[in-house]
Amino acid sequence: MGVFDRLPPMDHLRSEKMCFVQLIIPAESARVAVTYLGELGLLQFKDLNEDKSPFQRIFVNQVKRCAEMARKLRFFSDQINKAGVRSSVRPALEPDIDLEELEARLGEHEHELLEMNTNSDKLQQTYNELLEFKLVLTKAGGILASSHNHATSAERELDENVYDREVDEGNAYLLEQGVHQGSSGNSGVRFVSGIILKSKALAFERMLFRATRGNMLFNQAPAGEPVTDPISGEEVEKTVFVVFFSGEQAKAKILKICDSFGASCYPVPEEMIKQRQIFNEVSARLSDLEVTLDAGIQHRNKALETVGSQLWRWTIMVKKEKAVYDTLNMLNFDVTKKCLVGEGWCPIFAKSQIKDCLQRATFHSNSQVGIIFHEMDTLESPPTYFRTDKFTNAFQEIVDAYGVARYQEANPAVYSVVTFPFLFAVMFGDWGHGICLLLGALVLILCEKKLSSQKLGSFMEMAFGGRYVILLMAIFSIYCGLIYNEFFSVPFHIFGKSAYECREKSCSDAHTAGLIKVRDPYPFGVDPSWRGSRSELPFLNSLKMKMSILMGVAQMNLGIVLSYFDARFHGNALDIRYQFIPQMIFLNSLFGYLALLILIKWCTGSQADLYHVMIYMFLDPAGDLGENQLFWGQKELQILLLLMALVAVPWMLFPKPFILKKLHKERFQGHTYRFLGTSEMDPDSEPDSARARHDDFNFGEVFVHQMIHSIEFVLGAVSNTASYLRLWALSLAHSELSTVFYEKLLLLAWGNVVSLQILAMVTDSAENGRRGERKRRR
């Protein structure tokens, strides 16, 4: 461990050192100070009003105002999306406005939009009603015309005393009365016309028949095309109806039934001349309403464009103000109600920047009293803060998605900058695909300033945020693609000639006749002669599977080594002795030994079966290895490693809980106190006293936690090693799919195009030959 002790401290690989501070801010400069601190983003306030509900806090009215303005902005956004208005990406330059002016302007715009929406809805409803009226006039007029013709023929039959007595009495009565439609007496036949949903027409007719006891005649005609309903605004299938009846009571019943079924009734005159006059009037009103609606829509779209040009800017402003007042609600008023008291955490390096912000806030708010900023001692655990930039921010977010490191713990994101894109490249290594990915990443990086000031979609925003991740993935994909020697699944002789050639000089197909090694191995990556050979798949399978295991073992060892540096940084010798050392022994006794066997097999060219070696290492440790022996003393080494792995498990499990119990007893009895307190000191007054900590220690919980941790590590070592085989599986799948795409799509399409070109050339040459033959004959 002396080598590790001489290493420099990992200051840049850990979370920043934090300090607990207190701010005493005058009331007149509180809002400006919190605004400047929020823009700096290096101070985390502690909520001092946890016992109060949101409605009991000081600035609840301001928060409500901001919430109401946010609601109005969401309303504007919905209206803009509904109208399909394209707002400008870059907001128009306007002078800065304060919150009160913004609130008044938003109220005016909302009132104007609501009024325009109300008027537009009314006009649209009137327009739809007139469309229905026009349709009813057309269809009902035809029904009335046919009824009139039928009545005329009936009158002739009555004059000739030829009447069919087998006709239904009710219909005969109505038909007889229909002769006198033009009469002004109350005994004549009347009718009600309107329009109803097609799905309700049958039930509507039955209800009318039952209500009038059959004393009615129901005629209907389909609308023929979907009609916009005036109430719901949806396009539905409707049917025009005309109901003939007699009597005022029947009329009242029919109108009530129409109302209950949601049918719209429209007055249609009997005379054709009046029908044409009303039809012309309705058509004229419809044309006028169309012009009015178009003008209203244009005016509304202009108003939405005006709002949309500033919507993004106003939304950011409201969000900032709401965040400021939410933060102010975390602070406490002092006794005099003249200043606010706040507490929070900040990085040590940021204290000078915070003080500068507070001085600027005091100056800009014209306050006569400065803001007091000082450190405080606390027993609370500090929060974790990692300093990032635009390059490392995406990697930090990926790591934080799995879990945030504890205070002053090693930051895995630093190592993920290399490991994450490299493992991606191992799975999708192809320098042709890598170049495409590199071009996309370079476009995002070169347009960084332009894209950062625009509002992007969800997918584009995710890609832009991870532009440097994509860049590294592309670079590593090109590197791994050169190792795999794949350019869209096609190999190239980039670093020299292949080490293999045909057995005979006359051989034209190296894949079928066989290959022999004639020169030194290919300098870099996979030899291109493997592509398409009979042993390509077994060779690449073996290569990528073993490489995945090597990288997995290396990365797991890196994680365990980081746990050593964490334990050493926090001065925890127990974790080093009873966690780091047995974990290293267990992992490398099994899987580290497997990685060693892989390297030896590659270096020596042995044909040993590593599956057999690892399986019988557990089943028959003392058995003869035979052809699977890779080096002298392998059997004895395997027995030793197996015993070490077995010893490492109880080493991880038992010592640490019992040692912690012993240390706790000694601390409680005062055996390990560094100093003795006076008799006047109350042991309960100190939170770190032995009596205060005596009840906190629970041996059962500590032992169960250690047992879970040990079992999780043992099982995780096996499962994680198997999980790294996904690198091999996805790499193989990517390579095979690229090959299928190249051979079955590109080559096939290219072959068809070439065949067509050759066929066209042959056809042209044959046609030219015929023409020449004809000329010679002439």
Side-chain angles (χ1 to χ4, degrees), residues 658-675:
F658 289 98
I659 294 175
L660 288 175
K661 182 179 180 181
K662 180 183 177 182
L663 291 176
H664 172 72
K665 288 182 178 180
E666 292 178 353
R667 186 180 297 113
F668 178 67
Q669 295 172 1
H671 292 172
T672 58
Y673 273 73
R674 295 184 181 178
F675 61 89

Side-chain angles (χ1 to χ4, degrees), residues 356-368:
D356 293 339
C357 284
L358 298 178
Q359 290 178 359
R360 285 192 294 113
T362 303
F363 177 76
H364 291 159
S365 60
N366 298 322
S367 176
Q368 302 296 326

Side-chain angles (χ1 to χ4, degrees), residues 307 499 558 755:
V307 174
L558 174 62
S755 300

Side-chain angles (χ1 to χ4, degrees), residues 28-296:
E28 62 272 11
S29 60
R31 177 184 166 277
V32 180
V34 172
T35 301
Y36 288 168
L37 291 174
E39 293 173 354
L40 182 63
L42 292 174
L43 180 63
Q44 178 180 332
F45 281 96
K46 178 184 176 182
D47 191 0
L48 302 178
N49 300 313
E50 292 181 350
D51 56 334
K52 296 181 180 179
S53 67
F55 300 100
Q56 295 175 334
R57 307 210 176 194
I58 305 169
F59 299 95
V60 60
N61 293 328
Q62 288 81 352
V63 173
K64 288 181 179 179
R65 288 173 57 194
C66 293
E68 179 64 17
M69 286 189 286
R71 183 198 61 79
K72 294 177 182 178
L73 291 171
R74 288 194 300 270
F75 168 72
F76 295 148
S77 178
D78 293 340
Q79 292 294 313
I80 290 172
N81 294 332
K82 185 178 179 180
V85 178
R86 295 186 60 184
S87 58
S88 59
V89 177
R90 293 185 177 180
L93 295 177
E94 287 190 2
D96 294 336
I97 57 176
D98 56 8
L99 194 63
E100 287 73 15
E101 186 179 353
L102 176 61
E103 186 177 13
R105 187 177 297 185
L106 292 179
E108 293 175 0
H109 285 300
E110 185 187 27
H111 178 72
E112 182 183 4
L113 276 176
L114 289 175
E115 187 176 357
M116 285 190 291
N117 289 340
T118 303
N119 295 334
S120 177
D121 292 340
K122 290 181 179 179
L123 290 174
Q124 188 66 42
Q125 184 178 358
T126 306
Y127 180 79
N128 294 333
E129 289 176 352
L130 288 175
L131 282 178
E132 283 190 349
F133 191 15
K134 183 179 180 181
L135 185 61
V136 171
L137 284 171
T138 304
K139 299 292 182 180
I143 295 174
L144 292 175
S146 63
S147 299
H148 181 71
N149 295 334
H150 188 59
T152 303
S153 62
E155 185 177 7
R156 291 173 183 173
E157 291 177 358
L158 285 172
D159 291 340
E160 297 174 0
N161 295 320
V162 180
Y163 184 80
D164 189 2
R165 295 183 179 182
E166 295 180 359
V167 180
D168 183 75
E169 294 181 358
N171 289 343
Y173 172 76
L174 288 174
L175 188 60
E176 184 179 355
Q177 295 295 331
V179 177
H180 308 286
Q181 287 182 11
S183 63
S184 60
N186 294 330
S187 61
V189 175
R190 303 180 181 182
F191 65 89
V192 173
S193 58
I195 191 168
I196 192 173
L197 289 175
K198 188 176 180 180
S199 59
K200 298 181 179 180
L202 182 59
F204 179 63
E205 182 181 0
R206 290 178 179 176
M207 183 60 69
L208 289 175
F209 184 84
R210 292 170 182 172
T212 60
R213 297 183 180 181
N215 295 320
M216 65 92 193
L217 186 63
F218 184 84
N219 288 327
Q220 60 179 344
E225 58 184 9
V227 181
T228 304
D229 189 74
I231 299 175
S232 64
E234 300 177 355
E235 289 190 353
V236 292
E237 296 285 342
K238 288 195 173 186
T239 299
V240 177
F241 66 89
V242 177
V243 183
F244 296 94
F245 61 93
S246 178
E248 289 294 333
Q249 292 183 356
K251 180 180 179 181
K253 291 180 181 180
I254 291 172
L255 291 178
K256 287 182 180 179
I257 294 172
C258 290
D259 185 47
S260 63
F261 274 84
S264 301
C265 298
Y266 296 98
V268 178
E270 297 178 5
E271 293 81 2
M272 296 297 295
I273 298 175
K274 291 183 178 180
Q275 289 181 13
R276 290 170 186 168
Q277 291 177 353
I278 295 176
F279 185 86
N280 294 333
E281 291 177 3
V282 170
S283 300
R285 288 189 62 187
L286 283 173
S287 60
D288 294 341
L289 281 175
E290 287 180 357
V291 176
T292 305
L293 284 172
D294 291 339

Side-chain angles (χ1 to χ4, degrees), residues 592-761:
Y593 174 64
L594 175 60
L596 177 64
L597 293 181
I598 291 172
L599 294 176
I600 293 175
K601 183 177 180 179
W602 278 351
C603 295
T604 60
S606 173
Q607 299 297 322
D609 186 2
L610 299 186
Y611 295 107
H612 185 277
V613 173
M614 294 303 297
I615 291 173
Y616 281 90
M617 178 179 175
F618 296 92
L619 298 181
D620 189 11
D624 187 17
L625 295 175
E627 296 179 354
N628 295 321
Q629 183 167 353
L630 293 169
F631 54 90
W632 178 84
Q634 181 178 351
K635 181 173 69 174
E636 291 76 10
L637 179 61
Q638 290 183 175
I639 295 173
L640 177 62
L641 292 176
L642 186 60
L643 292 175
M644 291 174 63
L646 293 176
V647 170
V649 175
W651 190 352
M652 280 187 287
L653 177 59
F654 295 108
K656 186 177 177 181
F658 289 98
I659 294 175
L660 288 175
K661 182 179 180 181
K662 180 183 177 182
L663 291 176
H664 172 72
K665 288 182 178 180
E666 292 178 353
R667 186 180 297 113
F668 178 67
Q669 295 172 1
H671 292 172
T672 58
Y673 273 73
R674 295 184 181 178
F675 61 89
L676 294 176
T678 62
S679 59
E680 299 176 356
M681 182 182 297
D682 184 6
D684 289 335
S685 63
E686 292 294 326
D688 285 340
S689 65
R691 186 175 301 175
R693 285 186 169 269
H694 177 61
D695 295 333
D696 295 338
F697 184 82
N698 190 325
F699 176 75
E701 291 183 2
V702 173
F703 187 83
V704 170
H705 179 268
Q706 187 66 23
M707 181 174 61
I708 293 174
H709 184 77
S710 302
I711 295 174
E712 182 183 6
F713 176 80
V714 173
L715 297 180
V718 180
S719 62
N720 290 338
T721 305
S723 295
Y724 278 98
L725 294 177
R726 298 174 189 172
L727 303 177
W728 154 57
L730 289 174
S731 176
L732 184 65
H734 174 260
S735 177
E736 293 302 316
L737 287 175
S738 299
T739 303
V740 170
F741 179 80
Y742 172 73
E743 293 180 354
K744 302 300 181 183
L745 187 62
L746 295 182
L747 288 184
L748 189 62
W750 176 258
N752 291 336
V753 171
V754 172
S755 300
L756 291 174
Q757 291 178 350
I758 294 175
L759 181 62
M761 292 172 61

